[in-house]
Amino acid sequence: MHPRFDELKTRLAEIHDLRRAQEILFWDQTVMMPPGGSSVRGHHVTTLDRIAHQKFVSDDVGALLDDLAGYEQELDYDSDEASLIRTTRRDWEKARRVPAELAAEMTGAAAEGHDIWAKARAENDYELFRPVLERAVELRRRYVECFDGYDEPYDALLDDYEPGMKTAEVRVLFDELKAELVPLIADVGSVEGDDAFMAGPWPVEAQHAYSLEIIRRFGFDESFARLDLTVHPFCASSGTQDIRLTTRYKEEDITSIHTAMHECGHGLYEHGVSQSLERTPLCHGVSSALHESQSRLWENIVGRSRPFWNHFYPSFQAAFPEALGDVDQERWYRALNRVKPSYIRVDADEATYNLHIILRFELEQEILAGTIDLKDLPEEWNRRFEEYLGIPVPSDTLGVLQDVHWSGGGFGYFPTYSLGNIVSVQIWEKVLAELPDLPDQFERGEFGELYEWLRERLYSLGRKYTPQETLERVVGGPIESGPYVRYLKDKLGALAAA
Amino acid sequence: MHPRFDELKTRLAEIHDLRRAQEILFWDQTVMMPPGGSSVRGHHVTTLDRIAHQKFVSDDVGALLDDLAGYEQELDYDSDEASLIRTTRRDWEKARRVPAELAAEMTGAAAEGHDIWAKARAENDYELFRPVLERAVELRRRYVECFDGYDEPYDALLDDYEPGMKTAEVRVLFDELKAELVPLIADVGSVEGDDAFMAGPWPVEAQHAYSLEIIRRFGFDESFARLDLTVHPFCASSGTQDIRLTTRYKEEDITSIHTAMHECGHGLYEHGVSQSLERTPLCHGVSSALHESQSRLWENIVGRSRPFWNHFYPSFQAAFPEALGDVDQERWYRALNRVKPSYIRVDADEATYNLHIILRFELEQEILAGTIDLKDLPEEWNRRFEEYLGIPVPSDTLGVLQDVHWSGGGFGYFPTYSLGNIVSVQIWEKVLAELPDLPDQFERGEFGELYEWLRERLYSLGRKYTPQETLERVVGGPIESGPYVRYLKDKLGALAAA
């Protein structure tokens, strides 16, 4: 072992410890902390963040990476060691380019912007929000200028969430998706059904018990994981053996069952990372889209499938007698998979969700390029929304103001949600080809072989490779929209025809 | 404002943030973390600890303190600013004296020692534990050598928990206490009563509800505090508005009610520190003994008093009908205050507890001085235990091996428990002289005026002054054993006479 490699690993472990501590502080803040704690918690998190950043962007880390260039060449490309040096070099070169002042300004603007956005959304007042958006855009343009070598400015933003992905690639994928989905949704979106029972009541305790019942079958286990309550569900972790899922319950809807499966998908990915990568920067899922592919796979491909419900429906119906006593499985399945255009992205069904994303992806590029005047943004939002989804937007609260992302300058994140959908089916086709009896296993309530396959092929790799290399290793090719379009057409077509 | 003072405050705030983050990680580890998380959590905590220590003992902090010496002289001694400089200088000079290697060696030995101690205690095998103790003593002697200016070696250890307190002072106090308590306990310890009902059952849910009922009256409030479960109860906090109490429940005993009051006392102290001290090293209780004086005041002086139970007993009895249905208030009160020599310190009653502590204090000094051969320690323990408490020790598990403290080299901590008892009554006499109707308020279930007095006179000061200055400000004089001895004699005498 190269002595400088030990030094690098020790330094990165220290930085990683600070990052993991931050993750637990964030979890604690949103799940456990008494409200009074907020007055100082922000400082604790900011301090950890600043120290971790300073330690990482230091010249010392650069010198270590330089000294290890020769050693890296001698190593097997697939070794943990080579991967650590390679990935760290990429992270370091990127992190070095952003001046501390700009990073601090972006953080400050995000914090201020959040509160103004919340007020603007509550009051349906886009003009109140517009200065926040203007500042966020200006800061993001300065951020983009820190980098070079990209084909177009939006590439630099996308790269933060999906390293190596190009805007042009996403454009092709989304254009293919849009061309297929707009007519498909116009068609199946008109199929009506009696879904009144979905209003519940769904007793909260039964929701919690049933959420646990399902995710335990997926592999969730209290020896390495928790499930708690929060306002906006997420998954955090402090290592592969400490996974924190969060969810929420409302008496009047049953979305929590799929929220639990979704967050469990994220959690299983983090849990499955090879323990040899623990306390290194490789100990995480590789990108937002790959992560989302796993939350979506467990939530949608598994959790909205017929084999899954063939197994679970009898006990599910028994767990919610008031809501489901008179509802047969077919009626539940159809309601669960109903395609119906609606205004709010996070409430959208599996198919229309992508059109919400495509709209944001297009607008983000134009906002960044300045080809759209921010004064006209609501109008442009509403025009395209109706074009893609077929319904008029009744207010900015239900339109351009609905999402938190832009208030914090988070441009470039939205597309990864739909990229995750696309990738999820590519991976599903691959695993199904190798394990054709998975649907039969689901009918029996068994999911262990699926988890094992995903762990071995995908989860265990962590951040050893780029997202593109990772996907290539899992499915044998690059990202493509075909499988996902086929999946939606088959599933929704069958529902519309029946 | 001196510009260098701003620099100092910023640096100390950063270090304080790291310490507070550590405290939340510790709370999370013992209260929330899935067991699997332990493989990396130790690293996270160690990393935060090391960074905080390095940042604090730096030459830069010393230079800031030097530059601010003149400014400090100009400031009012009582100002937050002068107190911050003064207290930080003391902390810094102390922290600088311990080499990083020795600190690391002590930490490592404590971690290893803990597991061996646990095994030795479980197997009643003192000889297994002896090498751990030998190493701990050797390391502590090296630690003591880092310092000078003390009258005797034990002073240096005591100073870590009770800054400024001298071993000679403690010796005088404890000798006074022992002279009074040994005959008193021999006398009242023979009073028998039918306490069989104390074995329960005490349903755990009712224990939790009633614990909350009581501590809410003391001032506990979910807006700034939580109460959770753990194995060894403690109180942690991340600031004055984020207080984490912990407790435990066992069906077969009702000690949890007083555990909750005890931890609540610690929590109210931390909550009451002036918010002007937030994010500074002054934002904590001033010493172990002062802290313990508050946990004991709320637990014992309030929570084992007649006025308290005159208010609570009817609802308490109703909450535990199976255990208390046939038990009148007087019988409960007597059982609760029963003095009865027993082996385990943490289970000891209010009076005998101090003899457990005095035994340890005496042995610790002799161990450190080398005047006792560690081979003979169990024999010496047992001999003195019987002399002080009148009962023979049946095994080392119930004797010299019972406490965790020595396995980690924690000499000097034990005496602060009894010093806390002593101080608690000094403060109680003072507050009662100023607010003579407090017992009437307790009869009505009102504790707000007591809390307010303590907050204003003691809690709000944080670490602005030394423990001795702090006590002087609260009670108008130094620590003395008289009030505590009077309190025990009056209370136990009345019980024995009736």
Side-chain angles (χ1 to χ4, degrees), chain A residues 316-339:
Chain A
F316 185 64
Q317 189 180 31
F320 299 98
E322 204 175 338
L324 296 176
D326 299 330
V327 177
D328 66 19
Q329 185 180 329
E330 186 62 22
R331 193 168 153 213
W332 159 254
Y333 177 78
R334 285 173 170 271
L336 185 64
N337 285 292
R338 183 80 59 212
V339 173

PDB file of all heavy atoms in Angstrom, chain A residues 316-339:
ATOM      1  N   PHE A 316     -54.340  -6.387   3.154  1.00  0.00           N
ATOM      2  CA  PHE A 316     -54.476  -4.925   3.082  1.00  0.00           C
ATOM      3  C   PHE A 316     -55.939  -4.529   3.282  1.00  0.00           C
ATOM      4  O   PHE A 316     -56.259  -3.625   4.065  1.00  0.00           O
ATOM      5  CB  PHE A 316     -53.968  -4.468   1.710  1.00  0.00           C
ATOM      6  CG  PHE A 316     -53.920  -2.977   1.522  1.00  0.00           C
ATOM      7  CD1 PHE A 316     -53.084  -2.188   2.294  1.00  0.00           C
ATOM      8  CD2 PHE A 316     -54.687  -2.367   0.534  1.00  0.00           C
ATOM      9  CE1 PHE A 316     -53.025  -0.802   2.101  1.00  0.00           C
ATOM     10  CE2 PHE A 316     -54.630  -0.997   0.335  1.00  0.00           C
ATOM     11  CZ  PHE A 316     -53.803  -0.221   1.119  1.00  0.00           C
ATOM     12  N   GLN A 317     -56.816  -5.246   2.592  1.00  0.00           N
ATOM     13  CA  GLN A 317     -58.255  -4.993   2.727  1.00  0.00           C
ATOM     14  C   GLN A 317     -58.700  -5.209   4.180  1.00  0.00           C
ATOM     15  O   GLN A 317     -59.451  -4.405   4.736  1.00  0.00           O
ATOM     16  CB  GLN A 317     -59.022  -5.936   1.802  1.00  0.00           C
ATOM     17  CG  GLN A 317     -60.495  -5.621   1.686  1.00  0.00           C
ATOM     18  CD  GLN A 317     -61.206  -6.587   0.745  1.00  0.00           C
ATOM     19  OE1 GLN A 317     -60.817  -7.765   0.625  1.00  0.00           O
ATOM     20  NE2 GLN A 317     -62.227  -6.103   0.061  1.00  0.00           N
ATOM     21  N   ALA A 318     -58.149  -6.243   4.797  1.00  0.00           N
ATOM     22  CA  ALA A 318     -58.520  -6.538   6.185  1.00  0.00           C
ATOM     23  C   ALA A 318     -57.997  -5.474   7.146  1.00  0.00           C
ATOM     24  O   ALA A 318     -58.607  -5.211   8.190  1.00  0.00           O
ATOM     25  CB  ALA A 318     -57.977  -7.912   6.583  1.00  0.00           C
ATOM     26  N   ALA A 319     -56.879  -4.841   6.766  1.00  0.00           N
ATOM     27  CA  ALA A 319     -56.293  -3.822   7.640  1.00  0.00           C
ATOM     28  C   ALA A 319     -57.071  -2.510   7.586  1.00  0.00           C
ATOM     29  O   ALA A 319     -56.979  -1.683   8.493  1.00  0.00           O
ATOM     30  CB  ALA A 319     -54.832  -3.585   7.263  1.00  0.00           C
ATOM     31  N   PHE A 320     -57.832  -2.302   6.494  1.00  0.00           N
ATOM     32  CA  PHE A 320     -58.588  -1.059   6.324  1.00  0.00           C
ATOM     33  C   PHE A 320     -60.038  -1.371   5.969  1.00  0.00           C
ATOM     34  O   PHE A 320     -60.504  -1.064   4.864  1.00  0.00           O
ATOM     35  CB  PHE A 320     -57.939  -0.187   5.229  1.00  0.00           C
ATOM     36  CG  PHE A 320     -56.534   0.205   5.557  1.00  0.00           C
ATOM     37  CD1 PHE A 320     -55.461  -0.505   5.037  1.00  0.00           C
ATOM     38  CD2 PHE A 320     -56.276   1.276   6.405  1.00  0.00           C
ATOM     39  CE1 PHE A 320     -54.159  -0.154   5.358  1.00  0.00           C
ATOM     40  CE2 PHE A 320     -54.977   1.631   6.727  1.00  0.00           C
ATOM     41  CZ  PHE A 320     -53.916   0.914   6.206  1.00  0.00           C
ATOM     42  N   PRO A 321     -60.746  -2.006   6.895  1.00  0.00           N
ATOM     43  CA  PRO A 321     -62.093  -2.488   6.559  1.00  0.00           C
ATOM     44  C   PRO A 321     -63.069  -1.359   6.197  1.00  0.00           C
ATOM     45  O   PRO A 321     -63.908  -1.537   5.319  1.00  0.00           O
ATOM     46  CB  PRO A 321     -62.532  -3.219   7.838  1.00  0.00           C
ATOM     47  CG  PRO A 321     -61.644  -2.693   8.928  1.00  0.00           C
ATOM     48  CD  PRO A 321     -60.359  -2.324   8.267  1.00  0.00           C
ATOM     49  N   GLU A 322     -62.919  -0.224   6.826  1.00  0.00           N
ATOM     50  CA  GLU A 322     -63.904   0.838   6.572  1.00  0.00           C
ATOM     51  C   GLU A 322     -63.780   1.376   5.140  1.00  0.00           C
ATOM     52  O   GLU A 322     -64.776   1.585   4.455  1.00  0.00           O
ATOM     53  CB  GLU A 322     -63.723   1.975   7.586  1.00  0.00           C
ATOM     54  CG  GLU A 322     -64.999   2.786   7.764  1.00  0.00           C
ATOM     55  CD  GLU A 322     -64.863   3.842   8.867  1.00  0.00           C
ATOM     56  OE1 GLU A 322     -63.990   3.693   9.746  1.00  0.00           O
ATOM     57  OE2 GLU A 322     -65.630   4.811   8.826  1.00  0.00           O
ATOM     58  N   ALA A 323     -62.541   1.572   4.695  1.00  0.00           N
ATOM     59  CA  ALA A 323     -62.336   2.105   3.348  1.00  0.00           C
ATOM     60  C   ALA A 323     -62.501   1.035   2.275  1.00  0.00           C
ATOM     61  O   ALA A 323     -63.021   1.300   1.184  1.00  0.00           O
ATOM     62  CB  ALA A 323     -60.947   2.734   3.240  1.00  0.00           C
ATOM     63  N   LEU A 324     -62.057  -0.201   2.564  1.00  0.00           N
ATOM     64  CA  LEU A 324     -61.931  -1.205   1.503  1.00  0.00           C
ATOM     65  C   LEU A 324     -62.909  -2.374   1.615  1.00  0.00           C
ATOM     66  O   LEU A 324     -62.882  -3.272   0.758  1.00  0.00           O
ATOM     67  CB  LEU A 324     -60.498  -1.766   1.501  1.00  0.00           C
ATOM     68  CG  LEU A 324     -59.387  -0.759   1.176  1.00  0.00           C
ATOM     69  CD1 LEU A 324     -58.016  -1.417   1.305  1.00  0.00           C
ATOM     70  CD2 LEU A 324     -59.573  -0.183  -0.237  1.00  0.00           C
ATOM     71  N   GLY A 325     -63.764  -2.342   2.644  1.00  0.00           N
ATOM     72  CA  GLY A 325     -64.683  -3.467   2.862  1.00  0.00           C
ATOM     73  C   GLY A 325     -65.438  -3.877   1.603  1.00  0.00           C
ATOM     74  O   GLY A 325     -65.594  -5.063   1.313  1.00  0.00           O
ATOM     75  N   ASP A 326     -65.888  -2.894   0.828  1.00  0.00           N
ATOM     76  CA  ASP A 326     -66.694  -3.183  -0.373  1.00  0.00           C
ATOM     77  C   ASP A 326     -65.897  -3.083  -1.655  1.00  0.00           C
ATOM     78  O   ASP A 326     -66.476  -3.079  -2.744  1.00  0.00           O
ATOM     79  CB  ASP A 326     -67.855  -2.175  -0.470  1.00  0.00           C
ATOM     80  CG  ASP A 326     -68.771  -2.266   0.735  1.00  0.00           C
ATOM     81  OD1 ASP A 326     -68.887  -3.371   1.292  1.00  0.00           O
ATOM     82  OD2 ASP A 326     -69.349  -1.225   1.106  1.00  0.00           O
ATOM     83  N   VAL A 327     -64.580  -2.945  -1.541  1.00  0.00           N
ATOM     84  CA  VAL A 327     -63.776  -2.684  -2.732  1.00  0.00           C
ATOM     85  C   VAL A 327     -63.032  -3.956  -3.126  1.00  0.00           C
ATOM     86  O   VAL A 327     -62.221  -4.465  -2.348  1.00  0.00           O
ATOM     87  CB  VAL A 327     -62.776  -1.537  -2.460  1.00  0.00           C
ATOM     88  CG1 VAL A 327     -61.882  -1.312  -3.662  1.00  0.00           C
ATOM     89  CG2 VAL A 327     -63.523  -0.267  -2.076  1.00  0.00           C
ATOM     90  N   ASP A 328     -63.300  -4.458  -4.333  1.00  0.00           N
ATOM     91  CA  ASP A 328     -62.553  -5.656  -4.728  1.00  0.00           C
ATOM     92  C   ASP A 328     -61.175  -5.269  -5.257  1.00  0.00           C
ATOM     93  O   ASP A 328     -60.881  -4.096  -5.489  1.00  0.00           O
ATOM     94  CB  ASP A 328     -63.351  -6.506  -5.730  1.00  0.00           C
ATOM     95  CG  ASP A 328     -63.539  -5.800  -7.060  1.00  0.00           C
ATOM     96  OD1 ASP A 328     -62.788  -4.838  -7.360  1.00  0.00           O
ATOM     97  OD2 ASP A 328     -64.445  -6.208  -7.807  1.00  0.00           O
ATOM     98  N   GLN A 329     -60.320  -6.268  -5.411  1.00  0.00           N
ATOM     99  CA  GLN A 329     -58.922  -5.997  -5.737  1.00  0.00           C
ATOM    100  C   GLN A 329     -58.770  -5.251  -7.060  1.00  0.00           C
ATOM    101  O   GLN A 329     -57.927  -4.372  -7.192  1.00  0.00           O
ATOM    102  CB  GLN A 329     -58.155  -7.322  -5.784  1.00  0.00           C
ATOM    103  CG  GLN A 329     -56.659  -7.124  -6.006  1.00  0.00           C
ATOM    104  CD  GLN A 329     -55.906  -8.433  -6.059  1.00  0.00           C
ATOM    105  OE1 GLN A 329     -56.309  -9.399  -5.409  1.00  0.00           O
ATOM    106  NE2 GLN A 329     -54.830  -8.479  -6.817  1.00  0.00           N
ATOM    107  N   GLU A 330     -59.589  -5.601  -8.029  1.00  0.00           N
ATOM    108  CA  GLU A 330     -59.471  -4.962  -9.336  1.00  0.00           C
ATOM    109  C   GLU A 330     -59.783  -3.473  -9.246  1.00  0.00           C
ATOM    110  O   GLU A 330     -59.116  -2.653  -9.876  1.00  0.00           O
ATOM    111  CB  GLU A 330     -60.407  -5.653 -10.348  1.00  0.00           C
ATOM    112  CG  GLU A 330     -60.267  -5.161 -11.776  1.00  0.00           C
ATOM    113  CD  GLU A 330     -58.871  -5.391 -12.383  1.00  0.00           C
ATOM    114  OE1 GLU A 330     -58.145  -6.281 -11.883  1.00  0.00           O
ATOM    115  OE2 GLU A 330     -58.504  -4.658 -13.334  1.00  0.00           O
ATOM    116  N   ARG A 331     -60.763  -3.147  -8.424  1.00  0.00           N
ATOM    117  CA  ARG A 331     -61.136  -1.734  -8.292  1.00  0.00           C
ATOM    118  C   ARG A 331     -59.996  -0.952  -7.597  1.00  0.00           C
ATOM    119  O   ARG A 331     -59.668   0.169  -7.983  1.00  0.00           O
ATOM    120  CB  ARG A 331     -62.432  -1.619  -7.472  1.00  0.00           C
ATOM    121  CG  ARG A 331     -63.054  -0.234  -7.568  1.00  0.00           C
ATOM    122  CD  ARG A 331     -64.472  -0.227  -7.005  1.00  0.00           C
ATOM    123  NE  ARG A 331     -64.814   1.085  -6.512  1.00  0.00           N
ATOM    124  CZ  ARG A 331     -65.604   1.337  -5.472  1.00  0.00           C
ATOM    125  NH1 ARG A 331     -66.152   0.320  -4.802  1.00  0.00           N
ATOM    126  NH2 ARG A 331     -65.858   2.576  -5.102  1.00  0.00           N
ATOM    127  N   TRP A 332     -59.410  -1.547  -6.571  1.00  0.00           N
ATOM    128  CA  TRP A 332     -58.254  -0.946  -5.894  1.00  0.00           C
ATOM    129  C   TRP A 332     -57.093  -0.759  -6.871  1.00  0.00           C
ATOM    130  O   TRP A 332     -56.501   0.303  -6.949  1.00  0.00           O
ATOM    131  CB  TRP A 332     -57.824  -1.827  -4.714  1.00  0.00           C
ATOM    132  CG  TRP A 332     -56.404  -1.589  -4.269  1.00  0.00           C
ATOM    133  CD1 TRP A 332     -55.330  -2.377  -4.475  1.00  0.00           C
ATOM    134  CD2 TRP A 332     -55.920  -0.437  -3.549  1.00  0.00           C
ATOM    135  NE1 TRP A 332     -54.195  -1.816  -3.933  1.00  0.00           N
ATOM    136  CE2 TRP A 332     -54.533  -0.623  -3.352  1.00  0.00           C
ATOM    137  CE3 TRP A 332     -56.519   0.725  -3.058  1.00  0.00           C
ATOM    138  CZ2 TRP A 332     -53.731   0.300  -2.701  1.00  0.00           C
ATOM    139  CZ3 TRP A 332     -55.717   1.654  -2.392  1.00  0.00           C
ATOM    140  CH2 TRP A 332     -54.346   1.430  -2.218  1.00  0.00           C
ATOM    141  N   TYR A 333     -56.806  -1.821  -7.647  1.00  0.00           N
ATOM    142  CA  TYR A 333     -55.675  -1.777  -8.574  1.00  0.00           C
ATOM    143  C   TYR A 333     -55.856  -0.660  -9.601  1.00  0.00           C
ATOM    144  O   TYR A 333     -54.923   0.075  -9.935  1.00  0.00           O
ATOM    145  CB  TYR A 333     -55.524  -3.137  -9.267  1.00  0.00           C
ATOM    146  CG  TYR A 333     -54.416  -3.159 -10.285  1.00  0.00           C
ATOM    147  CD1 TYR A 333     -53.077  -3.270  -9.893  1.00  0.00           C
ATOM    148  CD2 TYR A 333     -54.701  -3.057 -11.649  1.00  0.00           C
ATOM    149  CE1 TYR A 333     -52.058  -3.269 -10.826  1.00  0.00           C
ATOM    150  CE2 TYR A 333     -53.682  -3.061 -12.584  1.00  0.00           C
ATOM    151  CZ  TYR A 333     -52.360  -3.169 -12.186  1.00  0.00           C
ATOM    152  OH  TYR A 333     -51.346  -3.157 -13.107  1.00  0.00           O
ATOM    153  N   ARG A 334     -57.068  -0.509 -10.088  1.00  0.00           N
ATOM    154  CA  ARG A 334     -57.337   0.526 -11.091  1.00  0.00           C
ATOM    155  C   ARG A 334     -57.237   1.929 -10.486  1.00  0.00           C
ATOM    156  O   ARG A 334     -56.697   2.846 -11.113  1.00  0.00           O
ATOM    157  CB  ARG A 334     -58.717   0.322 -11.722  1.00  0.00           C
ATOM    158  CG  ARG A 334     -58.700  -0.847 -12.695  1.00  0.00           C
ATOM    159  CD  ARG A 334     -60.070  -1.216 -13.220  1.00  0.00           C
ATOM    160  NE  ARG A 334     -59.887  -2.173 -14.311  1.00  0.00           N
ATOM    161  CZ  ARG A 334     -59.727  -1.821 -15.587  1.00  0.00           C
ATOM    162  NH1 ARG A 334     -59.789  -0.555 -15.951  1.00  0.00           N
ATOM    163  NH2 ARG A 334     -59.522  -2.743 -16.502  1.00  0.00           N
ATOM    164  N   ALA A 335     -57.766   2.076  -9.290  1.00  0.00           N
ATOM    165  CA  ALA A 335     -57.683   3.388  -8.630  1.00  0.00           C
ATOM    166  C   ALA A 335     -56.220   3.760  -8.372  1.00  0.00           C
ATOM    167  O   ALA A 335     -55.802   4.905  -8.567  1.00  0.00           O
ATOM    168  CB  ALA A 335     -58.458   3.361  -7.322  1.00  0.00           C
ATOM    169  N   LEU A 336     -55.461   2.745  -7.957  1.00  0.00           N
ATOM    170  CA  LEU A 336     -54.054   2.957  -7.622  1.00  0.00           C
ATOM    171  C   LEU A 336     -53.235   3.360  -8.848  1.00  0.00           C
ATOM    172  O   LEU A 336     -52.237   4.071  -8.734  1.00  0.00           O
ATOM    173  CB  LEU A 336     -53.503   1.638  -7.054  1.00  0.00           C
ATOM    174  CG  LEU A 336     -52.093   1.618  -6.517  1.00  0.00           C
ATOM    175  CD1 LEU A 336     -51.994   2.546  -5.316  1.00  0.00           C
ATOM    176  CD2 LEU A 336     -51.712   0.193  -6.117  1.00  0.00           C
ATOM    177  N   ASN A 337     -53.667   2.885 -10.012  1.00  0.00           N
ATOM    178  CA  ASN A 337     -52.921   3.157 -11.237  1.00  0.00           C
ATOM    179  C   ASN A 337     -53.643   4.132 -12.156  1.00  0.00           C
ATOM    180  O   ASN A 337     -53.306   4.243 -13.338  1.00  0.00           O
ATOM    181  CB  ASN A 337     -52.637   1.836 -11.968  1.00  0.00           C
ATOM    182  CG  ASN A 337     -51.536   1.048 -11.276  1.00  0.00           C
ATOM    183  OD1 ASN A 337     -50.375   1.452 -11.276  1.00  0.00           O
ATOM    184  ND2 ASN A 337     -51.913  -0.061 -10.641  1.00  0.00           N
ATOM    185  N   ARG A 338     -54.647   4.824 -11.611  1.00  0.00           N
ATOM    186  CA  ARG A 338     -55.425   5.782 -12.406  1.00  0.00           C
ATOM    187  C   ARG A 338     -54.518   6.881 -12.967  1.00  0.00           C
ATOM    188  O   ARG A 338     -53.729   7.472 -12.234  1.00  0.00           O
ATOM    189  CB  ARG A 338     -56.504   6.414 -11.509  1.00  0.00           C
ATOM    190  CG  ARG A 338     -57.434   7.386 -12.204  1.00  0.00           C
ATOM    191  CD  ARG A 338     -58.537   6.704 -12.971  1.00  0.00           C
ATOM    192  NE  ARG A 338     -59.367   5.852 -12.104  1.00  0.00           N
ATOM    193  CZ  ARG A 338     -59.963   4.718 -12.515  1.00  0.00           C
ATOM    194  NH1 ARG A 338     -59.842   4.306 -13.769  1.00  0.00           N
ATOM    195  NH2 ARG A 338     -60.678   4.011 -11.673  1.00  0.00           N
ATOM    196  N   VAL A 339     -54.632   7.123 -14.264  1.00  0.00           N
ATOM    197  CA  VAL A 339     -53.917   8.244 -14.886  1.00  0.00           C
ATOM    198  C   VAL A 339     -54.884   9.411 -15.012  1.00  0.00           C
ATOM    199  O   VAL A 339     -55.917   9.287 -15.670  1.00  0.00           O
ATOM    200  CB  VAL A 339     -53.380   7.853 -16.282  1.00  0.00           C
ATOM    201  CG1 VAL A 339     -52.786   9.065 -16.983  1.00  0.00           C
ATOM    202  CG2 VAL A 339     -52.342   6.745 -16.136  1.00  0.00           C
TER     203      VAL A 339
END
